[in-house]
Amino acid sequence: NTAVRGMGNAAKALVGAAKTNPDQLGPRAKDVASSVRQVVTAAKALAGSTNNRTTQKAILGGARELANASEAMVSCAHSIASNPHDPALAHALTNAAKVVANALAKLIAQSKGADPGAKEAEEAFQALQRDAMRINTVPINLGGDFNGNSEHLLQSTKAINAA
């Protein structure tokens, strides 16, 4: 639940940086990549704590979906930094944040009953979802260093896909 809360906060900060503080896009993307690794690790541990094969597959599938959605969100942020005048990219980042929020909600739902801290995770998800809905524009001058950020996220995605 701490990892899920951290993931929600990191995703929220990345989208917020695109809107209000573009110089922070690189560090916020790193935070998302780090948070995804933590959620994937927690999901693997949670899946390993149950004997129900269906539950295990659902939890790991939810973690895989979250990792893929997060990778897409970081990729959108990277594209915005490269082409800050494209409103379609701003819209894509907003949509990517919504996909992350939905994937997080799905993972939480799949984990219910297996994790006594699911209520805290649900609260983190709701905060992320509210913030994602409020984001609809991106500033014109975006910057940041994304070299390596997407690579970290890609490694996390590959790790969960291998599970």
Side-chain angles (χ1 to χ4, degrees), residues 26 31 38 52 79 83-84 92 94 98 102 106 109 111 114 117 125 148 155:
D31 293 344
Q38 291 174 2
N52 185 323
S79 295
N83 191 2
T94 300
K98 289 176 185 177
N102 289 334
K106 184 176 179 181
S111 301
F125 160 72
Q155 290 172 359

Side-chain angles (χ1 to χ4, degrees), residues 22-132:
D23 292 339
Q24 290 297 309
L25 282 171
R28 297 303 67 88
K30 287 180 182 179
D31 293 344
V32 168
S34 174
S35 295
V36 168
R37 282 191 299 276
Q38 291 174 2
V39 170
V40 167
T41 299
K44 285 180 179 179
L46 185 60
S49 72
T50 181
N51 294 327
N52 185 323
R53 195 83 169 126
T54 303
T55 302
Q56 289 174 340
K57 287 182 180 182
I59 292 170
L60 292 175
R64 183 178 301 114
E65 186 177 330
L66 178 63
N68 290 336
S70 299
E71 181 181 7
M73 186 173 72
V74 168
S75 179
C76 284
H78 182 264
S79 295
I80 288 171
S82 300
N83 191 2
H85 301 292
D86 189 344
L89 293 176
H91 183 69
L93 180 61
T94 300
N95 286 338
K98 289 176 185 177
V99 172
V100 167
N102 289 334
L104 195 54
K106 184 176 179 181
L107 179 58
I108 291 166
Q110 291 161 333
S111 301
K112 285 197 174 174
D115 181 10
K119 182 177 186 236
E120 291 173 356
E122 177 69 21
E123 290 169 358
F125 160 72
Q126 288 173 354
L128 172 64
Q129 192 172 41
R130 281 190 306 273
D131 290 328

